[in-house]
Amino acid sequence: MPPRVCIFARESLLHWSAFYVKAFRQACDTIAIGPATGPENHDFPDWAAVERYVVKNDIISDADDAGALLALLPEGWTPDLVVAIQSGGPVIAGIAELGCPTAYISVDTWHDPRDFVLAHQYDFVFLAQKGIAPLMRQMGCRHAFWLPLACDPEAHYAAEVPEEFDIAFIGSTHFMVNRQRVARLKRLEAEFKLGYAFGLGSDAMAEAYGRARLIFNASIAQDVNMRVFEALATGKPLVTNAEAAANGLFELFEDGRHLIAYTDDNLMERVRHALDHPDWAAAIGEAGRREALEKHTYVHRVRELLEIVARHAPGLAEGGARPRKSGQRVAEFVPWGARRLLDVGMGLDASRVALRRLGVEYVAAIAPDSGALERRGRSYDAAALLDPGAPLPGADYDAILWRKPVESGLEWDYVFNASTAALAEGGHVLFVLDEADILASAGELAFSALVRWMAPWRYRPLVWRHGSERGHYHLVVACQQTATPDEIVAQLYRAFPVNGVDTNPGVQIFSGEGPGSPGAGRP
């Protein structure tokens, strides 16, 4: 039985979110929820000509709360996986409170650096550009994976029409970020017969590509963009910019075998050679088409995504491993993919046997007193007595749970320093607190106090829950990050510069850190 997948995305057409929705529907039992789309959401010059390509959502909603969106699902249809796709939809809050695994697909990450902050609620983050994945992991997204873009064979093909142009380009040239692309197109236009179009539907695009001997691409920010895969799927030889190697172009395709790569120094030479040797170019076009259709469709990408999630979230294929979170049990917030867990204070309300079914392989404990150690120590793989001020035993824990650290007589600076030393990169810390803990942490009854304590240690709060039936406990889930958002954005623009655009990273992308700030939700 295929997994049930709920997708959060705005309706779209000729866009990665539309192709992903189609592919999920082929591979899974899928329901897509999100806002409707219209000409106001796109810049196609002739909306009437392309409107029929819109991939419709099953449920139309502008809601921005995950719980409210899932409440719209049919009775008895509970998702095994929730996937949000970067699509211009609303920021969705409450993702981290869902019981099933959650994933986010980010494509134009360089263009929307909010993703480095907003992705934290998701268990898995999939990046279309390879170079972005390590930056996302620096921000504390432990399960950040490269998932390239792809083609849709139904939409991407070349019509059988007479060839009239030497080279064709279909895409945007009127934005400031396209200055480098425009300069390259002007060079080509001065010597070759160039066909250009923008805003075409699939059939019109197929005809335009069919009328050309070569297809040209110039991606922004060194991306391996949609056009790479779409052009290859047509079977026409693709001429594309070599600097996309920074994001894995030549790990996917071979220059001179599947495509023709150029630099600004050899662009004209490579185009001339391809036009002067049509048999050589045609062989490249056909090899590129076979490679794209055999390995790089959106169905391939969906299957890869599902395999990654299933590896880290056991039980996905059997209908999910957890029920939706009630917010009343600490164990519900152990992050998906955690293999090593440390329970400081023995506050975990699940056995190691239960945790094994969730993929947790090792559960250690720090007992608050000798009595607790004697009574419960054997329930863990390893247990030791709390030694305030001493380093936590072991290292590389994916998750550390602290039960009422203030009541144990511990100072917050020790708690955070000890957690930082023992956590694996991108690991999570779960704090179970009551009002007294928060009062003691900074002299006021507010989560913002704890957030201020977190900031110097570079933790980012994810969830705050108030369980009045459990003695007014508050649960704060935080993930460790190795750089601030602004530092990450600065790295991003240095690694992937956009020609002709001022990408000064000195401006802060966010000022808020607490509930209600951008970090509390997701697009």
Side-chain angles (χ1 to χ4, degrees):
M1 177 175 158
R4 292 176 172 177
V5 176
C6 181
I7 294 178
F8 295 160
R10 180 184 293 279
E11 285 182 344
S12 189
L13 73 164
L14 308 176
H15 178 273
W16 61 77
S17 63
F19 297 129
Y20 264 118
V21 170
K22 286 179 61 180
F24 270 106
R25 285 174 173 161
Q26 292 182 55
C28 308
D29 180 2
T30 301
I31 294 180
I33 307 178
T37 196
E40 67 277 6
N41 305 120
H42 301 276
D43 54 2
F44 290 102
D46 185 359
W47 176 254
V50 298
E51 184 178 7
R52 64 190 176 93
Y53 297 107
V54 173
V55 176
K56 303 288 187 180
N57 279 339
D58 300 288
I59 300 173
I60 299 299
S61 174
D62 294 320
D64 59 3
D65 178 79
L69 289 169
L70 293 195
L72 301 174
L73 295 172
E75 185 176 354
W77 197 96
T78 302
D80 303 317
L81 174 67
V82 168
V83 177
I85 304 174
Q86 185 186 49
S87 59
V91 173
I92 306 297
I95 291 292
E97 298 176 25
L98 303 179
C100 63
T102 59
Y104 179 66
I105 298 174
S106 177
V107 176
D108 276 347
T109 320
W110 71 269
H111 195 56
D112 191 357
R114 294 180 307 164
D115 276 17
F116 288 104
V117 176
L118 302 179
H120 287 289
Q121 285 198 107
Y122 292 84
D123 301 304
F124 302 90
V125 183
F126 293 92
L127 292 311
Q129 307 306 327
K130 182 179 182 181
I132 306 296
L135 300 179
M136 191 65 76
R137 286 192 287 269
Q138 285 184 353
M139 285 298 298
C141 294
R142 181 173 179 78
H143 298 302
F145 301 92
W146 178 34
L147 189 71
L149 287 162
C151 64
D152 179 343
E154 293 181 353
H156 306 133
Y157 62 94
E160 295 184 5
V161 293
E163 293 180 345
E164 301 177 33
F165 299 95
D166 293 324
I167 192 164
F169 174 77
I170 300 176
S172 173
T173 59
H174 66 280
F175 293 115
M176 181 174 65
V177 293
N178 291 316
R179 290 179 181 176
Q180 186 180 50
R181 177 184 292 170
V182 170
R184 290 168 174 171
L185 286 169
K186 286 183 179 298
R187 292 176 62 193
L188 292 171
E189 191 175 27
E191 184 170 336
F192 306 107
K193 188 174 182 181
L194 176 67
Y196 161 75
F198 172 70
L200 301 182
S202 293
D203 296 335
M205 184 170 66
E207 182 175 343
Y209 279 150
R211 294 166 66 190
R213 297 171 64 189
L214 305 175
I215 297 175
F216 176 74
N217 179 47
S219 64
I220 303 168
Q222 304 173 28
D223 280 9
V224 182
N225 60 9
M226 295 178 71
R227 195 175 297 105
V228 168
F229 303 94
E230 295 172 0
L232 288 173
T234 68
K236 291 300 182 94
L238 169 66
V239 181
T240 190
N241 50 318
E243 66 261 29
N247 278 301
L249 176 65
F250 298 134
E251 296 176 48
L252 301 171
F253 305 105
E254 184 178 336
D255 181 22
R257 181 183 176 191
H258 302 121
L259 49 74
I260 302 166
Y262 69 84
T263 66
D264 280 323
D265 292 333
N266 67 10
L267 169 61
M268 305 300 286
E269 175 188 343
R270 299 229 71 184
V271 171
R272 285 191 209 101
H273 183 83
L275 293 173
D276 291 342
H277 299 81
D279 292 341
W280 173 80
I284 289 176
E286 180 55 32
R289 179 178 180 275
R290 286 198 306 269
E291 191 75 3
L293 298 184
E294 290 175 6
K295 299 180 182 178
H296 301 289
T297 70
Y298 282 96
V299 172
H300 288 113
R301 299 296 184 248
V302 166
R303 288 173 179 162
E304 183 178 354
L305 182 152
L306 293 172
E307 288 172 2
I308 290 172
V309 173
R311 265 201 317 270
H312 296 278
L316 174 68
E318 291 77 35
R322 302 180 191 175
R324 186 188 297 189
K325 292 172 182 168
S326 66
Q328 302 298 321
R329 298 186 66 242
V330 175
E332 295 172 351
F333 292 92
V334 173
W336 289 101
R339 295 289 186 261
R340 290 171 53 84
L341 172 66
L342 178 64
D343 180 2
V344 183
M346 293 185 164
L348 191 60
D349 46 11
S351 69
R352 67 177 176 179
V353 176
L355 292 170
R356 290 281 194 273
R357 300 186 63 183
L358 304 179
V360 180
E361 299 168 354
Y362 180 82
V363 186
I366 305 297
D369 53 60
S370 57
L373 179 62
E374 183 176 349
R375 291 191 308 273
R376 299 188 56 201
R378 288 190 300 145
S379 299
Y380 295 84
D381 293 305
L385 188 64
L386 178 66
D387 184 4
L392 296 176
D396 293 327
Y397 291 106
D398 301 308
I400 299 177
L401 167 68
W402 287 87
R403 169 79 168 193
K404 297 175 66 63
V406 175
E407 188 177 280
S408 303
L410 303 177
E411 297 292 335
W412 277 114
D413 56 355
Y414 165 69
V415 171
F416 284 109
N417 283 326
S419 299
T420 300
L423 270 182
E425 181 181 356
H428 291 71
V429 185
L430 293 79
F431 298 98
V432 182
L433 311 167
D434 63 13
E435 281 89 344
D437 295 325
I438 298 175
L439 284 167
S441 70
E444 63 182 51
L445 180 59
F447 282 116
S448 59
L450 183 58
V451 172
R452 284 198 294 274
W453 274 100
M454 286 182 179
W457 283 270
R458 287 179 170 172
Y459 287 92
R460 182 166 298 279
L462 299 183
V463 180
W464 4 73
R465 294 288 293 173
H466 176 247
S468 58
E469 299 175 10
R470 303 284 293 177
H472 297 284
Y473 289 147
H474 299 257
L475 178 67
V476 177
V477 182
C479 63
Q480 184 186 22
Q481 52 188 65
T482 58
T484 67
D486 294 313
E487 289 169 342
I488 293 295
V489 172
Q491 288 186 60
L492 173 69
Y493 286 135
R494 284 195 297 267
F496 306 110
V498 181
N499 184 276
V501 177
D502 180 12
T503 52
N504 178 9
V507 180
Q508 292 187 350
I509 59 173
F510 290 115
S511 59
E513 298 286 353
S517 72
R522 243 347 250 103

